[in-house]
Amino acid sequence: MSSDGAVDESPDTAADGDTFGVGIAVTESEFQFVVHVPSDIDAGWTDPHAFQRLVEEAVWDRLDREATLREIGKTADVGETVTLGRVTLLPDGTVVDTTFNEGVAES
């Protein structure tokens, strides 16, 4: 209900959006940012490279990239993919929700 007493009929944005799992794959020579895409992704996502960039930007806007990668370098083995958490986005790039695993360095 809004402040003027009317019923708010806007959609619940927390229920909207697509949730992407995010992680870091450790190879011999580099770290690779990994985006796990839901199988029932919204049709509004037309460019896979664009949404992957949006997901990555949302993660690094909220986590300390240097500290997170430093910690992964100390604790993860080659061949391992370290899960950072989940990011829920709308096709327009709006971040609806983020959930990060314990131990990642939030900014």
Side-chain angles (χ1 to χ4, degrees), residues 4-29:
D4 64 358
V7 175
D8 183 3
E9 295 183 15
S10 62
D12 178 13
T13 57
D16 292 342
D18 291 297
T19 301
F20 301 91
V22 292
I24 302 293
V26 180
T27 72
E28 288 265 343
S29 59

Side-chain angles (χ1 to χ4, degrees), residues 66-104:
E66 187 176 320
T68 298
L69 295 177
R70 191 177 322 111
E71 186 61 27
I72 290 170
K74 289 184 213 172
T75 61
D77 295 323
V78 170
E80 185 177 353
T81 298
V82 177
T83 300
L84 299 176
R86 296 185 313 265
V87 176
T88 302
L89 295 170
L90 297 175
D92 68 1
T94 301
V95 177
V96 176
D97 190 33
T98 58
T99 305
F100 296 110
N101 293 339
E102 191 175 314
V104 296

